[in-house]
Amino acid sequence: MTDLLDEVIEAHGGRRRWKRIGQLSAEVRSSGLLMRAKGKANRFREYGLTVSTEDQHAVFDPFRRDGSRGVYDGDAVRIESADGELVEEQDDPRAEFFGLSGLSKNLHWTDLDALYFAGYAMWNYLNTPFLFEQPGFEVSEGEPLEDGGATWRRLDVRFPPEIHAHCANQSFYFDEAGLLRRNDYHPEVVSRFAHAAHLCDEHREFGGIVFPTKRRVVPKGPTGHPLAGPSIVAIDIDFVETS
């Protein structure tokens, strides 16, 4: 535990309020180069998203087409009909991105590949920073970042192996108000050469919890600075309901 983590948790709504929440339901729009390059540009244009604040669980509705939904459960992903009938599933989806099976992923993702990536990513994003208090996380304060005359404090986070994420070691930057402004990581399932800066803006309060509603993921340059573009992933959150 660090003083910085205490401060950012308070800035995003506080532990007491968060512990009363078991589920988040959001209205989301997504775009960007990544899904277009993988042949899945239409899958996440506009959807309802429900995530658990405890288990690694997320539901995208609709997914693939109207009348079906995608379910992310950490070690498994599946597509269901509206009445819950199984359409397609994949156990251990992360393994599909590596070894011989991973060679084809450089050119094309299946629907289940895209669902796994979006599932763990969105579950992480909506649960940050409260997620870091779960067992197994290691956090420490790193060197701050100077950005446009402002100083953003840095939280270095090591994710436990059982938590699906872009990578084990990530850095999160918070402004003077304690709000998340940037997340740096290496998205392993995309490429071993990829290094991303995930920029967060337009924070809004829903049910007492503060979320960045505009997220843009851009490549990091050789010096570590975010490039002007293109947007690898663009996420806009229109509404969040807490329950």
Side-chain angles (χ1 to χ4, degrees), residues 18 70 96 107-108 175 200:
W18 181 257
E96 295 297 307
L107 300 174
H108 179 79
D175 64 18
C200 300

Side-chain angles (χ1 to χ4, degrees):
M1 191 65 61
T2 69
D3 291 340
L4 177 56
L5 182 56
D6 285 336
E7 292 176 25
V8 301
I9 283 177
E10 187 62 29
H12 287 83
R15 291 184 182 89
R16 182 181 301 176
R17 188 174 285 114
W18 181 257
K19 288 179 179 178
R20 295 199 296 263
I21 299 170
Q23 179 175 281
L24 304 170
S25 299
E27 297 174 2
V28 186
R29 292 173 288 116
S30 301
S31 60
L33 180 63
L34 177 62
M35 289 300 174
R36 291 201 303 272
K38 301 302 184 182
K40 302 300 169 187
N42 296 329
R43 296 296 184 263
F44 301 100
R45 283 185 175 172
E46 189 171 354
Y47 56 93
L49 173 67
T50 302
V51 304
S52 169
T53 61
E54 299 173 354
D55 302 322
Q56 294 180 77
H57 177 77
V59 178
F60 296 77
D61 191 3
F63 180 75
R64 188 151 70 179
R65 62 179 64 90
D66 289 342
S68 67
R69 59 181 177 242
V71 182
Y72 160 78
D73 273 325
D75 290 326
V77 290
R78 64 186 182 275
I79 299 171
E80 301 176 341
S81 66
D83 58 6
E85 181 179 351
L86 179 64
V87 176
E88 190 176 359
E89 65 180 337
Q90 175 69 59
D91 292 328
D92 195 12
R94 196 178 190 90
E96 295 297 307
F97 291 88
F98 304 97
L100 291 177
S101 63
L103 295 177
S104 65
K105 308 303 180 189
N106 293 324
L107 300 174
H108 179 79
W109 281 359
T110 68
D111 284 340
L112 292 175
D113 294 333
L115 178 60
Y116 171 71
F117 176 84
Y120 81 70
M122 294 304 296
W123 183 81
N124 275 269
Y125 299 160
L126 288 182
N127 278 283
T128 296
F130 305 97
L131 174 64
F132 306 149
E133 293 200 297
Q134 290 192 9
F137 279 87
E138 300 175 18
V139 299
S140 60
E141 186 166 357
E143 291 296 320
L145 175 71
E146 298 295 330
D147 185 89
T151 300
W152 292 353
R153 294 175 70 184
R154 170 178 166 180
L155 192 68
D156 291 327
V157 180
R158 182 169 181 81
F159 286 64
E162 63 271 19
I163 299 294
H164 292 255
H166 290 305
C167 59
N169 295 301
Q170 301 186 33
S171 295
F172 297 80
Y173 296 92
F174 302 88
D175 64 18
E176 64 279 359
L179 298 178
L180 178 64
R181 300 304 300 272
R182 175 173 161 180
N183 173 202
D184 287 5
Y185 50 76
H186 161 49
E188 296 171 341
V189 302
V190 175
S191 169
R192 61 192 179 96
F193 302 109
H195 295 276
H198 184 141
L199 309 178
C200 300
D201 204 354
E202 298 184 10
H203 296 74
R204 294 173 59 191
E205 181 180 319
F206 300 97
I209 304 297
V210 178
F211 300 89
T213 62
K214 179 180 178 180
R215 292 172 170 269
R216 299 293 184 267
V217 182
V218 297
K220 284 173 59 177
T223 62
H225 294 289
L227 301 181
S231 290
I232 306 302
V233 176
I235 300 168
D236 293 285
I237 299 174
D238 295 323
F239 181 78
V240 181
E241 181 179 2
T242 62
S243 58

